[in-house]
Amino acid sequence: MKKRMQRLCIYPKDVQRITGRSERYSRNLIRKIMQELNKKEHQFLTVSEFCNYAGIDEEKVTEMIRD
């Protein structure tokens, strides 16, 4: 049986699916988290970084963003 790959990065569509908010809100939230983490524009936001910021269980988030 082939093991399913899990993504490390989170995208605005994922945040939109998790929060139920608009894509614009999701983009702004990701931008805000990245600024607080002092990440550069070319760097990605990981699922664990998002979960730590939002206070959401990482397992629940990975379940929701599974492709």
Side-chain angles (χ1 to χ4, degrees):
M1 193 164 134
K2 200 174 192 180
K3 187 176 178 184
R4 201 172 163 101
M5 280 183 56
Q6 288 185 342
R7 284 190 285 139
L8 295 176
C9 302
I10 194 160
Y11 298 101
K13 276 287 191 191
D14 301 325
V15 177
Q16 184 179 4
R17 188 179 300 156
I18 293 162
T19 61
R21 303 288 299 266
S22 69
E23 189 172 355
R24 183 179 197 154
Y25 172 85
S26 303
R27 280 183 278 143
N28 290 336
L29 180 60
I30 287 176
R31 189 175 302 116
K32 180 180 176 183
I33 296 170
M34 288 182 66
Q35 286 174 348
E36 287 194 22
L37 295 175
N38 294 319
K39 287 192 164 240
K40 296 180 181 169
E41 201 172 308
H42 68 276
Q43 294 176 316
F44 294 101
L45 183 68
T46 66
V47 173
S48 60
E49 290 169 337
F50 172 78
C51 291
N52 287 336
Y53 180 86
I56 303 173
D57 185 37
E58 196 171 333
E59 290 177 20
K60 290 181 181 179
V61 170
T62 51
E63 257 181 50
M64 288 194 78
I65 66 171
R66 223 175 256 162
D67 294 328

